[in-house]
Amino acid sequence: LLPTSLAGPLLGAAAALTLAACGGDDSASESAPEKAGAQVVNVELSDAACVPDRDSVAAGPVTFEVTNAGAKVVTEFEIVDAGGVVIGERENLADGTSGSFTLNLEPGRYVAKCPDAKTEERPFSVTGGAAAAADTQLDAATAGWKKYVEAQSTDLLARTREFARAVRDGDVQRAKDLFATARAPYERIEPVAESFGDLDPKIDARVNDVAEGTPWTGFHRIEQGLWVTGTTAGLGPLAERLVRDVTRLHDQIPALDFQAAQLANGAVELLNEVAKSKISGEEDRYSHTDLADFQSNLEGAHEAYRLLRPALAQRGAADLAAVLEDRFADVEHRLSRYRRPAAASGWAPYGALTAADRRALSQAIDALAEPLSTVAARVAA
Ligand SMILES: [Cu+2]
């Protein structure tokens, strides 16, 4: 999640970097001069008014150089924010003296003020921030998603090792009990499974997805052994291989880069897959633990959306955000009816859903995926 308090410092850092990068570039004559990476605004105090040499700057660090050359009454200059709070000032500047202060200004309207002058106030604006702020929010969203994927893959590796140990130990019941919860972290990061390359089919393929001449490996191959043959015979090497593949996945995450639109599209595609094909019970066709997967898929999709929400709000899509929250809540509520805390998977067996239940659930997921499908275009714009 993006804490809103992060947006300010991140924006400031980005602005400072940009300024440092273009320092000394004479072609930027339209913008304020710079000193030590900050834009400089010169302010002359007089008893009539205080006059900055510009009324607008770009968001980022700004140094106000204040000079009193002849003012007797006015000795102070302030920058006041839209809420009326003095966020920076230089006081006690007697005639013939000067001083300065620096602020990291966020975009918005401010007031330049010199108390006791005939004209005390004049508007001062900080511009150019809206796009930069949105980009910062997208960066925060993708960075947050990467952290999420890293945490889930770490959890996946630990759980998969435990599951594999039960398989190698020949403990059929324990392996069955661990199956659904071991998979859960993988199903949470499935919105970006495309970026895992051949590891996705190696870890999570159903028998009908396996290409000719390729061995069927992964969770579902072991699931078939456990539930259909009811023994771990021959499953040891498959369990070891699963741990190796999950380890490879875990190790490649730090090198992956995610795009904001990819998060949004991945979440939609996953929900569509749940509503169109997983709804048949095909994913966990031997264990019937599909509802555990649905829940994890929904959690991952919701997390991707949560991370993008600040950028959506920035782009004026508050109405869309409200609709999406409602639809997520609706699907989560429908699913929660099938929670069974006493079951190893935490969920009712998939057969507990009637055809009508599946239809209703599928429709609720469609109703969520449809507005969610408009998010990518908004954040990619
Ligand atoms: Cu899956």
Side-chain angles (χ1 to χ4, degrees):
L1 263 160
L2 169 65
T4 42
S5 61
L6 264 184
L10 284 174
L11 173 59
L17 277 177
T18 308
L19 287 164
C22 64
D25 182 353
D26 286 338
S27 69
S29 56
E30 284 294 288
S31 50
E34 294 167 28
K35 193 166 117 185
Q39 302 164 89
V40 175
V41 175
N42 291 293
V43 184
E44 293 263 358
L45 298 188
S46 77
D47 288 336
C50 45
V51 184
D53 63 355
R54 61 190 63 238
D55 289 323
S56 172
V57 293
V62 183
T63 297
F64 293 90
E65 304 269 18
V66 186
T67 305
N68 184 344
K72 306 293 183 226
V73 180
V74 174
T75 58
E76 186 176 346
F77 176 74
E78 303 173 340
I79 292 292
V80 183
D81 74 11
V85 176
V86 176
I87 56 169
E89 63 179 346
R90 192 69 174 84
E91 297 176 283
N92 303 315
L93 288 174
D95 189 1
T97 62
S98 63
S100 70
F101 63 95
T102 301
L103 287 172
N104 193 354
L105 287 174
E106 298 194 5
R109 293 173 184 281
Y110 298 81
V111 169
K113 182 172 180 179
C114 41
D116 303 318
K118 268 194 202 95
T119 304
E120 281 198 339
E121 300 185 350
R122 76 190 270 136
F124 188 83
S125 66
V126 179
T127 60
D135 289 348
T136 303
Q137 285 170 327
L138 292 185
D139 289 348
T142 52
W145 178 257
K146 188 162 173 173
K147 265 193 189 160
Y148 180 74
V149 174
E150 281 173 342
Q152 294 302 325
S153 78
T154 299
D155 195 18
L156 175 67
L157 183 53
R159 294 183 190 203
T160 303
R161 282 187 175 135
E162 199 187 353
F163 170 65
R165 199 172 307 126
V167 171
R168 283 196 311 264
D169 289 351
D171 192 338
V172 174
Q173 190 55 51
R174 182 166 164 75
K176 283 180 162 184
D177 287 349
L178 292 173
F179 173 75
T181 52
R183 296 172 44 67
Y186 189 81
E187 295 295 304
R188 289 193 191 104
I189 57 178
E190 224 175 13
V192 293
E194 295 267 310
S195 56
F196 305 155
D198 68 340
L199 287 173
D200 181 41
K202 282 177 173 164
I203 291 168
D204 199 37
R206 274 71 101 183
V207 64
N208 48 294
D209 293 336
V210 179
E212 281 270 333
T214 307
W216 179 31
T217 63
F219 277 112
H220 298 298
R221 170 67 187 86
I222 298 171
E223 177 196 9
Q224 185 205 43
L226 292 172
W227 270 271
V228 176
T229 65
T231 151
T232 58
L235 297 183
L238 284 159
E240 276 163 29
R241 178 153 182 186
L242 177 61
V243 170
R244 279 204 304 278
D245 288 335
V246 167
T247 303
R248 272 178 60 209
L249 173 67
H250 172 265
D251 293 349
Q252 80 175 33
I253 305 283
L256 293 181
D257 271 320
F258 301 108
Q259 301 296 312
Q262 181 189 6
L263 268 63
N265 287 328
V268 171
E269 263 152 50
L270 180 57
L271 291 175
N272 283 338
E273 187 188 338
V274 174
K276 305 280 183 297
S277 60
K278 292 191 181 201
I279 199 75
S280 69
E282 57 86 23
E283 176 145 28
D284 303 291
R285 63 190 71 172
Y286 316 109
S287 63
H288 307 299
T289 54
D290 306 81
L291 287 166
D293 281 12
F294 288 11
Q295 173 67 21
S296 297
N297 288 164
L298 193 60
E299 284 172 14
H302 203 160
E303 181 65 14
Y305 165 67
R306 260 189 214 108
L307 288 163
L308 293 168
R309 194 170 49 194
L312 268 188
Q314 177 83 31
R315 285 149 201 252
D319 289 357
L320 174 62
V323 168
L324 285 169
E325 285 306 337
D326 277 359
R327 307 257 165 111
F328 268 114
D330 179 49
V331 177
E332 283 156 1
H333 176 73
R334 283 169 190 275
L335 257 190
S336 71
R337 294 176 196 155
Y338 304 101
R339 277 190 194 276
R340 299 291 183 272
S345 72
W347 294 86
Y350 199 54
L353 275 72
T354 64
D357 291 340
R358 293 182 193 192
R359 213 161 31 242
L361 184 58
S362 167
Q363 280 164 2
I365 296 169
D366 280 340
L368 165 61
E370 197 271 320
L372 194 61
S373 70
T374 67
V375 170
R378 288 181 188 254
V379 296

